[in-house]
Amino acid sequence: MAAPDDAVILRLDPAWVRYAPLTSGGVLIALGALGAVGGPLSGSNLITDIADSNAIDSLADVAVPRLVVGGLVAFAVASAILAIAGYLLTNWGFTLTRDDRARTYHVRRGALTTRETTIDQDRLRGLEVHEPLGLRLAGAGRLVAIVTGLDRRSRGSAPIVPPAPRAVVVGVGEHVL
């Protein structure tokens, strides 16, 4: 929860969840799930038994293309659902605030585990707009703060805008800089 002196710069808009399937998160989660499920099946003889049977020959011309297309559609739907779930779990309650007295920005987000990041304005070295292909085609992106640590070797980044419309990303970037 933001302190009374904090100025709220940005809150999560639930409509932004539409950008979740355009990120790589859902695909990575789906591939991991597919690998977890496919691992035990790889030692099974079921697939080779079906492939060796004569019954598959008569259905191969029709069933295999439909099966491949159906599998790709199912994978795309599963990826989108997992991306949306991951987006909501990660960014639920997202709030970016500014404390002028302490000269800091504060990011709070997360549904199951709340993550809070405080960015000291004196350590802020710049902003980076991330626009992977899917988000760029949809007119969206995300914003990351480039910060330094206590010495020159300690550098890092902190997300300050989740996948959102490009106008929001640019507006927050202009406000922060």
Side-chain angles (χ1 to χ4, degrees):
M1 177 139 291
D5 295 337
D6 291 354
V8 176
I9 297 171
L10 181 69
R11 288 191 194 279
L12 180 70
D13 183 347
W16 298 345
V17 76
R18 69 182 180 266
Y19 299 115
L22 304 176
T23 63
S24 59
V27 173
L28 294 175
I29 295 169
L31 286 174
L34 188 62
V37 170
L41 292 179
S42 65
S44 172
N45 290 331
L46 177 64
I47 295 171
T48 55
D49 291 344
I50 291 172
D52 291 340
S53 73
N54 292 333
I56 195 75
D57 291 337
S58 63
L59 296 174
D61 294 336
V62 177
V64 171
R66 286 185 183 170
L67 185 62
V68 169
V69 170
L72 290 174
V73 168
F75 182 79
V77 169
S79 295
I81 291 169
L82 291 170
I84 289 168
Y87 183 92
L88 289 173
L89 288 173
T90 302
N91 296 308
W92 190 260
F94 179 92
T95 308
L96 173 64
T97 58
R98 183 189 71 241
D99 182 353
D100 286 330
R101 285 187 313 156
R103 297 183 36 82
T104 60
Y105 290 97
H106 189 77
V107 177
R108 180 183 172 96
R109 65 190 175 115
L112 300 178
T113 302
T114 302
R115 301 188 92 174
E116 296 189 36
T117 305
T118 300
I119 302 167
D120 186 0
Q121 288 180 359
D122 294 334
R123 300 194 190 283
L124 182 65
R125 294 295 176 249
L127 299 173
E128 190 172 301
V129 176
H130 288 241
E131 292 179 311
L133 181 60
L135 289 177
R136 188 176 328 126
L137 292 174
R142 61 180 168 254
L143 188 65
V144 176
I146 309 295
V147 295
T148 59
L150 297 175
D151 60 33
R152 295 196 183 271
R153 294 174 303 205
S154 299
R155 295 184 182 186
S157 61
I160 58 173
V161 177
R166 182 158 172 57
V168 171
V169 171
V170 171
V172 170
E174 289 173 351
H175 182 82
V176 169
L177 291 179

